[in-house]
Amino acid sequence: MSHPASSLPDSSLPDSSLPGAPLPPAFAVAALRAAGCVFAEEEARLIAGTARTPAELAAMVERRTLGLPLEHVLGWAEFCGLRVAVGPGVFVPRRRTEFLVREAAALARPGAVVVDLCCGSGAVGAALAAAVGPVELHAADIEPAAVRYARRNVAAVGGRVHLGDLYGPLPAALRGRVDVLVVNAPYVPSGAIGLLPPEARDHEPRVALDGGADGLDVQRRVADGAPRWLAPGGSLLIETSGRQAPHTAAALARAGLVPRAAVCDDLDATVVVGTPAAGRTG
Ligand SMILES: C[S@@+](CC[C@H](N)C(=O)[O-])C[C@H]1O[C@@H](n2cnc3c(N)ncnc32)[C@H](O)[C@@H]1O
């Protein structure tokens, strides 16, 4: 077991290894190390800091040795400095997606109407609301498990969560009123799913990862629908990969949006931002 792509960012791990932090239980470190865990000590500290009883600690260590993502074992993931509730069947928010939040925060003002589409745990919307201040936040996802977690995370910042396919479950009253439409849809090409780390491949739902033959099926549908929902001057922000960015941008352009790409090398993150062409509305 290597440190999983879905695991907590390295920068979040030393938190619990500050001078004076209690030593992690030796049995936990040994078990995690034997299972091939590269960051056994740090993970043992996090698990020990989360477990409420010795029995729970032992069960959590066992689940991790069986290959569950660390965050599913803990029941939370650190994202933009927040503790976001996650669990089995839900996509673990990735460190690179913090760039999507940063770009969206630069465009949102307090009071803005914000929609987090394909919200998963609701991490993006919750972090955006925490960064910007009070916003009218709506989040939506097609997966009931994701929506259950999103309701916990998004309720904490006063938002609402809807269950269904893309724009389908959003209140009709939002049409033409969305200032910031922020989307991390699945964008892994179907043929590359098998190359993902086992934590993702085996423990995150296929619908959260699989973007179709070229990875862009869901993004194209998001782009096509966006002009009907964006307010004049509103923005659509979609996370994508550097390689796929020109295709994501082309999908936005076909939908009548003017695209630009933003890149963060440190996080290996790419976001394509689209705004309605002047004079065009949905
Ligand atoms: C890559 S995950 C991202 C989750 C979250 N935005 C994040 O960054 O942590 C993609 C999410 O899109 C959802 N999804 C996939 N297809 C969808 C659709 N047609 N309508 C709504 N949600 C969808 C999945 O259930 C999953 O939660």
Side-chain angles (χ1 to χ4, degrees):
M1 186 193 310
S2 61
H3 193 53
S6 64
S7 265
L8 294 172
D10 292 350
S11 61
S12 72
L13 291 173
D15 233 8
S16 53
S17 54
L18 293 171
L23 282 175
F27 90 89
V29 177
L32 294 171
R33 199 168 281 144
C37 223
V38 177
F39 297 95
E41 288 223 350
E42 291 90 338
E43 292 198 9
R45 274 199 189 92
L46 288 165
I47 293 173
T50 302
R52 287 160 299 187
T53 64
E56 194 174 39
L57 170 66
M60 288 169 75
V61 169
E62 189 185 359
R63 286 207 297 281
R64 181 64 181 135
T65 62
L66 293 174
L68 264 77
L70 175 64
E71 297 84 350
H72 284 178
V73 170
L74 295 172
W76 56 270
E78 182 168 322
F79 184 75
C80 291
L82 302 178
R83 255 190 199 200
V84 175
V86 294
V90 174
F91 183 87
V92 176
R94 306 298 203 258
R95 180 82 197 280
R96 73 160 55 85
T97 304
E98 294 187 357
F99 182 59
L100 177 65
V101 174
R102 221 189 294 158
E103 288 294 301
L107 295 170
R109 300 280 168 270
V113 176
V114 173
V115 171
D116 175 5
L117 216 54
C118 297
C119 69
S121 64
V124 170
L128 189 50
V132 173
V135 293
E136 181 182 340
L137 173 63
H138 294 261
D141 200 283
I142 201 166
E143 262 287 306
V147 164
R148 274 197 300 279
Y149 278 97
R151 289 208 163 114
R152 284 167 63 180
N153 294 314
V154 165
V157 290
R160 288 172 58 194
V161 184
H162 313 276
L163 171 66
D165 183 25
L166 295 187
Y167 300 96
L170 295 179
L174 290 180
R175 286 217 176 128
R177 287 188 53 228
V178 178
D179 298 303
V180 175
L181 176 54
V182 66
V183 188
N184 182 19
Y187 59 87
V188 180
S190 305
I193 298 283
L195 306 174
L196 293 174
E199 270 97 346
R201 202 175 64 217
D202 299 338
H203 297 284
E204 291 180 319
R206 179 109 190 177
V207 69
L209 305 169
D210 192 341
D214 66 353
L216 299 173
D217 284 1
V218 186
Q219 291 189 355
R220 277 189 282 267
R221 292 182 56 217
V222 169
D224 287 347
R228 277 192 297 284
W229 295 86
L230 287 176
S235 301
L236 164 64
L237 299 96
I238 301 191
E239 177 177 307
T240 191
S241 70
R243 190 181 56 74
Q244 291 162 307
H247 306 289
T248 303
L252 266 59
R254 267 194 306 276
L257 303 176
V258 179
R260 69 175 167 85
V263 174
C264 173
D265 290 330
D266 287 352
L267 294 176
D268 184 25
T270 304
V271 170
V272 174
V273 185
T275 46
R280 276 195 67 149
T281 57

